Amino acid sequence: SYGDVSFLLTSDLSAAGQANALAEGGYPLATVFQLPQHATARSLNAGFLDQTQAQLYLLHNDRPNRRGDTNPDTLALLNPDIPLYRTDIHGSVHIWTDGQGLWVRPENR
């Protein structure tokens, strides 16, 4: 967190781990929410996603691979009105803040 802006970088946090965080009273508010486990099948708990109240989604992913990244059913859980930046499409995504505003510049515009 920096000022009013926060980042939640979930990396390999499982859907079960997300459910446990919610059950223990964890409220994962985040301005920027990195989708867990490269958005593979069943990697995202819908309740956890709703609690983030994200203003931007970030998906770190390579091109399609044998693990099944990225799952369309997982992406369907996302709010279509919130921007999604994907490293497999946009390349490196540069995000910066002054604690109030948020600016994003993808490598591949």
Side-chain angles (χ1 to χ4, degrees), residues 5-104:
V5 178
S6 59
F7 295 76
L8 181 57
L9 307 174
T10 58
S11 189
D12 288 330
L13 181 63
S14 68
Q18 295 163 53
N20 287 342
L22 290 174
E24 293 177 7
Y27 298 101
L29 293 174
T31 311
V32 177
F33 177 58
Q34 176 198 17
L35 300 174
Q37 300 184 4
H38 314 283
T40 55
R42 298 175 298 283
S43 64
L44 184 57
N45 177 295
F48 189 86
L49 174 65
D50 290 341
Q51 289 293 320
T52 65
Q53 300 179 18
Q55 297 173 20
L56 183 145
Y57 300 125
L58 181 61
L59 172 56
H60 178 260
N61 194 15
D62 294 326
R63 303 219 185 292
N65 58 55
R66 66 176 191 224
R67 291 187 318 224
D69 301 353
T70 295
N71 186 276
D73 292 336
T74 301
L75 294 181
L77 296 172
L78 303 180
N79 181 335
D81 296 327
I82 296 174
L84 168 63
Y85 288 91
R86 300 173 52 148
T87 59
D88 60 336
I89 295 171
H90 299 105
S92 295
V93 179
H94 304 271
I95 303 171
W96 65 100
T97 183
D98 62 0
Q100 295 178 348
L102 185 72
W103 297 273
V104 181

